[in-house]
Amino acid sequence: MNTLTIIQPDDWHLHVRTGAILNTVIAHTARQFKRAIIMPNLKPPVTSVELALNYRDEILQALPKDSEFEPLMTLYLTNQTTVDDVKKVAASDAIHAFKLYPAGATTNSDAGVNNVTAVYPILEAMQQHNVPLLIHGEVTDEDCDIFDRERVFIERYLTDIVKQFPALKIVLEHVTTEEAVQFVESASSNIAATITPQHLHYNRNAILVGGIRPHHYCLPILKREKHRLALVKAATSGNPKFFLGTDSAPHLTHLKENACGCAGCYSAHAAIELYAEVFEKENALDKLEAFASFYGADFYGLPRNKQTITLEKQNWTVPASYGESDIMITPLKANETLAWKLI
Ligand code: NCD
Ligand code: ZN
């Protein structure tokens, strides 16, 4: 197959930041995706409808002229979130979910929840008003090994959340383990998961073999090969519970190539191409369209897109960086050759 035309995809997990970084990255997403769920982990976090609408305006302003890209906003769940906030989100066409970050789990998550059961009344209201809960599923205990943090979160918190709120729509974001795949597969149809390109392409050796590779450091951290294989299987299986969410997370190059480098991989420059490569290797290119363009929209109760995009089997080399000298971002697969190109 030399070209592949699919309904335009959506990105169900995306970081675009603000200001100069936003201006540098947003066109990459808008050229391929119709919509994206925008993460609220700004500094300060997006915790109210008003802040989310302001942020949405800023994103719309940053878009290339004539772009039809639509940002789907989310609110950051904190210990201060109220039932009234939930009702406002339910009534808003622009805001689509709450994001739960365990406090300290990842980039800009200090304002997150430090006692999950304390927000149960809010989850109750979300269930009642049909507002999805998006979860960064990792525990933050210092004594929990970083490679076990997702599995332990599922055992310790997610199992109970699902039991207490059986009708709550939940997306376990950026799943990275066999255990997470199994949990989602065996849960009811209102539990789904996003899968990133980096977790499909790489196992943990990519961070550590031959030197430390800060551009492969993201959270949840890359896991062993058996987990990557479980993710590839889930993504290419045609199971509607698994859909595309890049978790593209731009950080300035010098802050990643640092004694304490920050977490996040930038993939928006080549997201659909990166997924296509994985699906092709599995002989599952026929499953890419539903994973990228149908299942997420269906889960969120939004219409499927109508336009199409076309990918061509054509080698191209990813640039070493994007942006200008003071806003330099190193993309995933920098200086490497990709097999598919969006045309
Ligand atoms: C994300 C970021 O940089 O905002 N980083 C990451 O490693 N994935 C936050 C997140 O989704 O955890
Ligand atoms: Zn993220």
Side-chain angles (χ1 to χ4, degrees):
M1 202 187 294
N2 285 322
T3 66
L4 177 66
T5 296
I6 59 170
I7 290 287
Q8 191 173 14
D10 303 302
D11 184 348
W12 300 98
H13 184 129
L14 177 67
H15 303 266
V16 292
R17 321 300 188 199
T18 60
I21 294 187
L22 170 66
N23 287 322
T24 304
V25 302
I26 194 66
H28 286 160
T29 288
R31 67 191 267 278
Q32 52 191 313
F33 295 108
K34 176 72 171 72
R35 300 170 288 200
I37 283 280
I38 306 294
M39 288 296 140
N41 62 331
L42 301 183
K43 262 184 163 168
V46 181
T47 49
S48 71
V49 168
E50 194 191 353
L51 288 171
L53 294 179
N54 289 343
Y55 186 25
R56 182 173 178 275
D57 283 343
E58 187 184 349
I59 296 167
L60 292 174
Q61 291 293 321
L63 283 171
K65 227 171 137 248
D66 301 327
S67 171
E68 286 171 17
F69 175 76
E70 202 187 324
L72 309 174
M73 308 312 291
T74 60
L75 291 198
Y76 192 115
L77 186 65
T78 72
N79 294 325
Q80 280 74 47
T81 304
T82 64
V83 169
D84 197 47
D85 293 324
V86 176
K87 289 183 186 161
K88 283 186 188 148
V89 167
S92 159
D93 290 335
I95 305 165
H96 295 266
F98 279 90
K99 176 75 186 276
L100 188 164
Y101 290 98
T106 187
T107 305
N108 298 347
S109 64
D110 308 349
V113 171
N114 43 36
N115 174 3
V116 176
T117 51
V119 297
Y120 273 15
I122 306 303
L123 304 194
E124 175 80 51
M126 290 171 60
Q127 173 175 252
Q128 191 188 337
H129 295 278
N130 199 28
V131 176
L133 173 67
L134 318 182
I135 300 182
H136 183 112
E138 288 193 288
V139 298
T140 54
D141 317 36
E142 256 173 56
D143 58 0
C144 184
D145 190 281
I146 188 166
F147 293 99
D148 296 333
R149 289 179 176 198
E150 181 175 273
R151 176 178 58 75
V152 173
F153 182 90
I154 292 169
E155 291 165 6
R156 201 181 292 166
Y157 299 109
L158 191 55
T159 306
D160 193 59
I161 293 174
V162 166
K163 201 162 110 201
Q164 302 297 328
F165 309 104
L168 178 62
K169 273 192 191 178
I170 296 175
V171 184
L172 186 54
E173 298 291 339
H174 41 52
V175 285
T176 63
T177 56
E178 196 172 34
E179 289 84 359
V181 168
Q182 280 163 5
F183 179 86
V184 171
E185 278 173 350
S186 58
S188 60
S189 63
N190 48 306
I191 315 298
T194 50
I195 304 183
T196 78
Q198 64 267 25
H199 294 104
L200 294 173
H201 274 257
Y202 300 117
N203 64 39
R204 64 191 197 177
N205 284 5
I207 318 170
L208 295 169
V209 172
I212 293 181
R213 318 256 176 191
H215 299 292
H216 293 160
Y217 173 61
C218 68
L219 291 170
I221 198 156
L222 298 171
K223 305 294 194 297
R224 282 177 181 279
E225 178 65 3
K226 68 164 183 169
H227 296 292
R228 188 189 73 84
L229 292 174
L231 299 172
V232 170
K233 197 160 163 233
T236 59
S237 67
N239 184 338
K241 287 167 155 282
F242 298 98
F243 44 83
L244 186 158
T246 62
D247 194 19
S248 178
H251 290 277
L252 298 182
T253 298
H254 75 273
L255 296 178
K256 286 198 63 74
E257 297 172 0
N258 192 290
C260 184
C262 36
C265 295
Y266 181 66
S267 61
H269 63 296
I272 195 65
E273 291 99 329
L274 289 165
Y275 285 106
E277 205 162 305
V278 172
F279 278 66
E280 185 182 34
K281 278 197 192 122
E282 286 304 291
N283 253 321
L285 273 179
D286 60 323
K287 301 279 190 347
L288 179 65
E289 181 179 51
F291 172 80
S293 315
F294 297 162
Y295 299 150
D298 296 351
F299 183 86
Y300 276 86
L302 294 167
R304 292 180 181 183
N305 294 326
K306 299 228 157 47
Q307 325 266 74
T308 59
I309 59 160
T310 298
L311 297 169
E312 205 170 65
K313 197 74 193 285
Q314 187 192 314
N315 285 349
W316 64 287
T317 305
V318 175
S321 66
Y322 289 101
E324 264 123 57
S325 54
D326 52 336
I327 304 292
M328 206 167 83
I329 294 159
T330 303
L332 205 62
K333 304 264 182 191
N335 296 316
E336 291 181 48
T337 304
L338 298 189
W340 287 89
K341 193 170 201 305
L342 181 70
I343 54 173

